[in-house]
C-alpha cells in the first residue's frame, strides 16, 4: 500500500473539524484507553507516553492538512516501517480501532466528517497489520 499523504483538499477538513484542539482531544482520549489496554499497553514506550501521544497527534494533524510539524521533526512518516518492530495482529489492530472508535465518538463530529475520519483510520489500521493467523 502507498504511504498516507496529505491531500490537497485536506486543509478544509482540518479546519472544519476544529483544528488543533480537536486533534488534541482525539489522541488524549485514545491514549487514555490504550494505556489501560492489556493487549496494547505493553507495546508502547512505558517511559514516554506523552511522546507517543504527541507523535500521533502531529501525524494526524499533518495528514488532515494542519501544520507539518510531524515531518519537520520526524521526517517522512514511513508508518509501516516504523511499526515493523511491533507485532500487530488482528487482536492488536482491533484493540487499536476499539479505542480510536471511542475517541472519535467523543468528538461528536457531524456524520459526514465522522465517516471521512473513520474510513481513513480503519484503512490505515488494516495497512499497519503485520502478523496474520497463519504466520
Ligand atoms: C507509533 C502501535 C496503528 C500512527 C506507534 C507505536 C506503537 C504503535 C507501539 C510506538 C509509540 C511511539 O513511541 O510513538 C500501533 C498499533 C496499531 C497502530 C498496535 C494497530 C493497527 C496506527 C495507525 C496510525 C498510527 C493506523 C496512523 C493513522 C502512528 C504514528 C506513530 C506510531 C504516527 C509515531 C511514529 C514515529 O514518528 O516514530 N504505533 N499503531 N499507528 N503510530 Fe501506531
Amino acid at each position: 500500500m502507498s504511504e498516507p499523504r496529505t491531500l490537497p483538499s485536506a486543509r478544509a477538513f482540518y479546519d472544519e473539524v476544529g483544528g488543533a484542539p480537536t486533534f488534541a482531544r482525539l489522541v488524549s482520549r485514545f491514549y487514555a484507553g490504550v494505556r489501560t489496554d492489556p493487549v496494547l499497553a505493553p507495546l508502547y514506550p512505558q517511559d514516554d507516553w506523552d511522546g507517543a501521544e504527541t507523535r500521533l497527534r502531529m501525524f494526524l494533524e499533518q495528514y488532515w492538512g494542519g501544520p507539518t510539524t510531524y515531518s519537520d521533526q520526524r521526517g517522512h512518516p514511513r508508518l509501516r516501517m516504523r511499526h515493523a518492530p511491533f507485532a500487530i495482529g488482528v487482536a492488536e489492530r482491533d484493540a487499536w480501532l476499539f479505542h480510536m472508535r471511542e475517541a472519535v465518538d467523543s468528538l461528536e463530529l457531524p456524520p459526514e466528517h465522522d465517516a471521512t475520519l473513520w474510513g481513513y483510520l480503519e484503512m490505515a489500521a488494516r495497512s499497519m497489520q503485520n502478523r496474520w493467523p497463519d504466520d
Side-chain angles (χ1 to χ4, degrees):
M1 198 205 96
S2 64
E3 291 285 343
R5 61 194 168 87
T6 302
L7 305 171
S9 59
R11 179 82 214 181
F13 187 87
Y14 177 81
D15 290 333
E16 281 173 22
V17 298
T22 298
F23 287 88
R25 282 166 57 212
L26 177 70
V27 297
S28 168
R29 178 65 183 251
F30 172 71
Y31 272 107
V34 170
R35 278 170 186 251
T36 64
D37 189 294
V39 171
L40 291 181
L43 299 178
Y44 285 81
Q46 304 301 308
D47 56 352
D48 192 22
W49 284 102
D50 289 348
E53 186 171 324
T54 300
R55 288 184 280 276
L56 180 59
R57 177 179 54 73
M58 292 190 307
F59 172 81
L60 291 173
E61 288 182 332
Q62 173 172 308
Y63 179 84
W64 291 106
T68 57
T69 321
Y70 179 86
S71 282
D72 296 344
Q73 294 188 7
R74 307 287 293 165
H76 191 288
R78 301 189 196 288
L79 285 190
R80 278 186 55 80
M81 188 194 79
R82 291 192 201 261
H83 286 77
F86 314 114
I88 303 178
V90 172
E92 289 77 12
R93 182 201 67 193
D94 286 353
W96 193 99
L97 281 170
F98 173 84
H99 295 294
M100 193 52 92
R101 184 62 256 176
E102 284 204 333
V104 173
D105 281 345
S106 78
L107 298 178
E108 300 185 321
L109 296 174
E112 67 274 24
H113 286 125
D114 185 301
T116 300
L117 180 58
W118 185 245
Y120 164 73
L121 291 166
E122 269 197 310
M123 176 279 296
R126 276 199 303 274
S127 81
M128 235 53 85
Q129 187 177 339
N130 54 25
R131 296 286 189 285
W132 285 266
D134 290 341
D135 283 356

